Amino acid sequence: MIVFSNTTPIIALSSIQQLDLLPSLFGHIHLVNEVVDECEAGGAIAVPFLRELDWLTVVESTNIKHPSLLLALDKGEKHTLDMAEKYQADWVLIDEKIGRNMAEYLGLRVTGTLGILLKAKQQGLITSFLDCVTLMQNHGIYYHPNLIKKLLTQVGES
């Protein structure tokens, strides 16, 4: 399975010490250099040194296939979607609405951090979806309340 991740799922899962959910759910993860650079730039949430993780492959970006189409996206998103399309990825992990819409337009299968937590809860890898979401919110990571409510119902935590 080929899976590419954008920056936000990496940061969000790092904020709650759940980055290891990615290899548990997807096996191997691909990141473009631009995403690694964004994570290494630092911020309020500490992210481990990604280049040292054995379940991660850093991919060198190439010229973007649809530059005008991806214009509204940031550097990491553009290159993630472009390389995911070129590699014919099975999944793209991305949270931002415009990026998700663009990924779907390109024919890519998409999930985000909440979808990852949903799968993890369904597979018994985490005990509480709500606890994870609450911890992320405590770190300044927010998702639409209606989406959270819908997913809580799905996992039987409403």
Side-chain angles (χ1 to χ4, degrees):
M1 179 179 341
I2 299 173
V3 179
F4 273 82
S5 181
N6 189 41
T7 308
T8 306
I10 301 292
I11 292 171
L13 292 171
S14 292
S15 77
I16 59 170
Q17 311 302 309
Q18 294 289 347
L19 193 57
D20 286 340
L21 289 176
L22 294 178
S24 296
L25 293 169
F26 300 102
H28 205 78
I29 303 294
H30 293 75
L31 299 179
V32 294
N33 269 319
E34 291 78 4
V35 166
V36 174
D37 292 345
E38 287 175 2
C39 290
E40 287 178 350
I45 296 167
V47 175
F49 192 65
L50 299 172
R51 295 177 197 276
E52 292 180 353
L53 300 176
D54 61 354
W55 49 267
L56 244 164
T57 297
V58 179
V59 176
E60 188 70 38
S61 300
T62 59
N63 290 333
I64 294 177
K65 185 175 175 183
H66 309 286
S68 59
L69 182 66
L70 301 176
L71 193 59
L73 304 178
D74 74 20
K75 197 182 214 183
E77 292 167 339
K78 285 180 196 179
H79 288 283
T80 295
L81 295 185
D82 185 63
M83 295 309 290
E85 185 184 31
K86 288 174 182 172
Y87 274 66
Q88 299 178 340
D90 299 289
W91 285 99
V92 175
L93 312 178
I94 189 167
D95 283 344
E96 295 75 18
K97 181 78 171 147
I98 295 172
R100 291 173 69 89
N101 291 344
M102 203 57 64
E104 289 170 353
Y105 178 79
L106 293 171
L108 298 166
R109 216 164 135 197
V110 179
T111 195
T113 303
L114 295 180
I116 293 163
L117 292 175
L118 179 73
K119 281 182 187 222
K121 171 66 176 173
Q122 290 168 336
Q123 293 183 21
L125 299 173
I126 58 173
T127 55
S128 172
F129 178 86
L130 180 59
D131 287 351
C132 289
V133 172
T134 302
L135 280 171
M136 287 191 305
Q137 289 172 330
N138 291 342
H139 285 96
I141 299 167
Y142 296 99
Y143 298 95
H144 196 284
N146 290 341
L147 177 58
I148 294 169
K149 187 177 178 182
K150 176 183 170 188
L151 295 175
L152 283 169
T153 301
Q154 257 185 278
V155 296
E157 290 187 38
S158 58

